[in-house]
């Protein structure tokens, strides 16, 4: 295979079918290399009935991999189709958790995922007493501390929870078949440990597993992968520990750093950045100190790394300012993205408000915004469902899972139809998010009695006597949930996103909006998660990087920015 130019990439493609550890800098062509390595692995496997697997951590990455694999594989007539490309969660859920974990969970049904909004989770049996107060099961995370050992963590406070209390709650939840994302990873690990024969079967079925974004492998996923490796699966991990931004999900890059290659394995680098201009790479190198080399030519239009001061009270003006910059320097808005550290700031930049209310009101409000602003109908449906479940008596602990999964029978199908109807109907159901907050709330509360009566008649779900108390107007402002005039203002066609959602992307022009805390983290390097989030943000930019910083920053911060290669943007 000689169609890739760089010697580093070619070395990976030509490597024997052994375990690999590839440390790859941002923009180094990981996607193209991983896809072509997958093709090469499958080609060399010949008539083997095993699958070559490529795993990643986002649906966007998976779709990219599938598209590129189809194009590259087409050049090799007769190449086996026994290739599996999916997310890590999809792989373990469909191969291990759903078909095999019920036995170790001691449940009589197919395991199902809970998010924390389910009414039945209010049962004290599903919380963990930390010595002072109960901790919701959805705030319980886990991490391994050694072979066969693990501890339970409060994901909010980061404190270790009493193991006997945690085990009791986890087992109670498992008994009804429920698991959280964190507990799903746990039950996968336990299932593989207790069913050695299953490990052997999976290793035979999936003899070669390539993992992209391997810095996102947490300790529980890592323990499961190591079990598969011991049973015979050959692992190849590709990643960059500087881009480990899922520490809240037990993924801080430690697995990639500590991945020990078995005998015959090879560690190989990808150090040439094909994405960004040299000025952006210079900034990234000074922040994270990777060995990253620029190899592309700079464009004729304005490019480089800049900082731009803004007034905190006028932060939404950044959208129009960035739009003017793009237009003046020959960038299309479709080439640009405004990045924020978190969803709240991203939503604020879009013209939204943080005050959504409390209880069921908040859930209905989030449904309205997801429907009207974000076009996220799936989320809107789940929020409407969860809000409704706060207003009715639900005796079936797994009814929510049945409704969301599309299961027929047991009233789930009829309930799903009614929830969809209430969500879609802006006239008689969930009101439009462009109404003022007080009007929106008044309309919602006036429409709910008829909706709840229908649920009682057609689904047998009795209305809670105190339902109105859960539809409070508290924390609902008089302003619209989403201001339509801002949505059509200058620059509102520019994508606004969070850093986590764009990891892996290449974006010609990036405006990264920081506050004092996120700016300090960025300047502090990649030693902690906050610094790594900033690093990921700036390394998305290909041509133009503008760092929006508070106007109140002191001279020391300005000096630090300029020492790292940022130049003040001047109109």
């Amino acid at each position: 295979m000689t169609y890739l130019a760089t010697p580093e990439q070619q070395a990976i493609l030509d490597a024997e079918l052994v375990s690999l550890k590839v440390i790859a800098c941002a923009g180094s062509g990981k996607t193209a290399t991983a896809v072509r390595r997958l093709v090469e692995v499958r080609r060399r496997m010949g008539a083997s009935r095993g699958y070559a697997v490529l795993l990643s951590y986002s649906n966007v990455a998976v779709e990219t991999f599938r598209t590129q694999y189809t194009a590259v594989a087409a050049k090799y007539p007769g190449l086996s189709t026994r290739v599996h490309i999916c997310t890590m969660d999809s792989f373990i859920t469909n191969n291990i958790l759903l078909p095999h974990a019920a036995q170790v969970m001691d449940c009589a049904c197919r395991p199902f995922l809970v998010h924390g909004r389910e009414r039945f989770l209010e049962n004290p049996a599903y919380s963990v007493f930390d010595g002072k107060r109960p901790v919701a099961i959805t705030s319980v995370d886990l991490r391994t501390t050694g072979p066969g050992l693990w501890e339970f963590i409060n994901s909010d406070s980061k404190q270790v929870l009493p193991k006997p209390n945690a085990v009791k709650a986890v087992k109670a939840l498992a008994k009804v078949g429920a698991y959280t994302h964190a507990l799903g990873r746990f039950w996968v690990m336990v299932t593989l440990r207790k069913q050695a024969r299953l490990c052997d079967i999976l290793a035979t079925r999936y003899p070669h597993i390539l993992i992209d974004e391997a810095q996102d492998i947490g300790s529980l996923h890592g323990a499961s992968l190591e079990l598969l490796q011991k049973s015979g699966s050959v692992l190849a991990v590709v990643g960059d520990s500087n881009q480990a931004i899922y520490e809240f999900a037990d993924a801080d890059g430690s697995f990639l750093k500590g991945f020990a290659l078995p005998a015959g394995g090879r560690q190989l680098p990808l150090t040439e950045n094909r994405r960004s201009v040299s000025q952006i790479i210079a900034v990234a190198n000074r922040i994270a100190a990777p060995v990253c080399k620029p190899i592309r030519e700079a464009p004729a239009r304005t490019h480089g790394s800049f900082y731009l001061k803004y007034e905190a009270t006028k932060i939404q003006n950044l959208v129009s300012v960035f739009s003017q910059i793009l237009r003046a320097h020959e960038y299309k808005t479709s080439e640009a993205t405004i990045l924020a550290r978190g969803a709240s700031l991203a939503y604020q930049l879009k013209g939204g408000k943080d005050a959504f209310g409390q209880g069921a009101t908040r859930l209905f409000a989030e449904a309205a915004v997801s429907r009207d602003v974000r076009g996220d109908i799936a989320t809107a449906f789940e929020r409407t469902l969860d809000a409704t479940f706060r207003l009715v008596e639900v005796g079936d602990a797994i009814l929510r899972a049945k409704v969301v999964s599309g299961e027929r029978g047991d009233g789930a199908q009829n309930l799903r139809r009614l929830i969809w109807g209430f969500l879609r109907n802006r006239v008689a159901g969930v009101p439009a998010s462009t109404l003022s907050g007080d009007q929106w709330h008044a309309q919602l509360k006036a429409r709910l009695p008829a909706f709840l009566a229908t649920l009682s008649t057609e689904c047998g779900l009795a209305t809670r006597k105190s339902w109105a108390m859960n539809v409070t107007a508290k924390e609902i402002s008089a302003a619209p949930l989403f201001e339509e005039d801002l949505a059509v203002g200058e620059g509102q066609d520019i994508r606004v996103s969070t850093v986590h959602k764009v990891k892996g992307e290449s974006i010609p022009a990036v405006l990264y909006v920081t506050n004092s805390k996120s700016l300090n983290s960025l300047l502090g390097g990649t030693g902690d998660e906050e610094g790594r989030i900033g690093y990921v943000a700036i390394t998305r930019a290909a041509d133009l990087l503008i760092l929006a910083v508070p106007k109140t920053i002191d001279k020391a911060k300005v000096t630090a920015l300029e020492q790292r290669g940022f130049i003040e943007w001047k109109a």
Side-chain angles (χ1 to χ4, degrees), residues 19 28 47 52 69 102 135 145 160 199 236 254 271 274 282 319-320 372 432 519 545 560:
S19 292
S28 58
Y69 179 84
V135 176
T145 56
V160 177
C199 281
S254 296
T271 63
R274 306 156 68 94
V319 178
S320 60
D372 300 343
L519 176 60
L545 168 65

Side-chain angles (χ1 to χ4, degrees), residues 318-541:
L318 282 171
V319 178
S320 60
V321 169
F322 190 42
S323 177
Q324 293 166 16
I325 290 172
L326 296 172
R327 187 169 59 250
H329 296 279
E330 301 180 357
Y331 285 88
K332 299 176 182 177
T333 54
S334 60
E335 296 180 286
T337 299
I338 299 174
L339 294 181
R341 163 63 183 88
S344 177
L345 177 56
Y347 186 60
Q348 185 181 354
L349 288 165
K350 293 178 183 179
K353 303 291 186 294
D354 287 334
F356 272 166
Q358 295 182 345
T361 303
R362 181 180 184 89
L363 292 169
F364 278 124
E366 289 176 351
V369 172
S370 294
R371 178 195 63 194
D372 300 343
V373 181
R374 301 167 185 161
D376 187 351
I377 301 302
T379 296
F381 175 80
E382 291 199 26
R383 294 296 186 273
T384 305
L385 175 64
D386 292 328
T388 302
F389 273 17
R390 287 175 176 261
L391 310 180
V392 299
E393 301 292 349
V394 182
D396 185 353
I398 65 173
L399 178 59
R400 183 189 187 279
K402 293 176 181 177
V403 173
V404 173
S405 66
E407 185 173 321
R408 295 178 178 273
D410 294 330
Q413 188 175 3
N414 200 30
L415 177 58
R416 185 163 53 253
R417 175 182 60 80
L418 294 173
I419 295 292
W420 273 120
F422 192 67
L423 170 63
R424 287 171 172 164
N425 193 338
R426 290 175 176 82
V427 176
V430 177
S433 61
T434 49
L435 292 170
S436 65
D438 51 357
Q439 287 181 320
W440 181 90
H441 178 261
Q443 289 190 14
L444 174 69
K445 201 161 186 178
R447 296 170 184 179
L448 281 171
F451 175 56
L452 294 173
T454 300
L455 293 179
S456 177
T457 301
E458 297 192 26
C459 301
L461 296 176
T463 303
R464 299 179 76 178
K465 293 181 179 179
S466 59
W467 73 268
M469 295 177 63
N470 223 316
V471 193
T472 174
K474 190 174 183 180
E475 293 188 15
I476 283 285
S477 67
L481 300 180
F482 183 81
E483 304 224 21
E484 198 167 42
D485 59 332
L486 287 173
V488 297
E490 183 175 25
Q492 288 298 326
D493 55 342
I494 301 173
R495 180 173 65 148
V496 180
S497 185
T498 62
V499 179
H500 287 84
K501 289 184 178 180
V502 301
K503 191 162 76 72
E505 291 189 30
S506 179
I507 306 167
V510 168
L511 174 69
Y512 178 40
V513 183
T514 66
N515 56 24
S516 295
K517 181 180 178 181
S518 55
L519 176 60
N520 290 341
S521 297
L522 175 66
L523 294 173
T526 56
D528 61 21
E529 184 178 35
E530 291 300 319
R532 294 191 292 271
I533 289 170
Y535 176 78
V536 168
I538 65 173
T539 55
R540 297 312 93 199

Side-chain angles (χ1 to χ4, degrees), residues 30-53:
K30 294 191 296 295
T31 298
T33 306
V35 165
R36 286 162 175 78
R37 175 63 180 177
L38 182 67
V39 170
E40 182 65 6
V41 168
R42 184 58 260 187
R43 187 182 68 81
R44 292 194 214 171
M45 287 172 64
S48 169
R49 295 189 58 79
Y51 282 77
V53 180

Side-chain angles (χ1 to χ4, degrees), residues 73-125:
K75 300 176 183 178
Y76 298 88
L79 186 68
S80 171
T81 57
R82 299 182 77 82
V83 168
H84 200 32
I85 302 173
C86 62
T87 64
M88 174 69 78
D89 280 333
S90 174
F91 179 78
I92 64 172
T93 299
N94 293 317
N95 283 285
I96 304 166
L97 184 58
L98 296 184
H100 301 289
Q103 183 176 349
V104 296
M105 292 171 67
D106 193 26
C107 61
C109 65
R110 182 182 175 90
F112 62 93
L113 177 67
V114 293
H115 302 274
R117 301 181 296 273
E118 294 80 0
R119 276 276 309 281
F120 81 92
L121 293 180
E122 295 174 4
N123 187 325

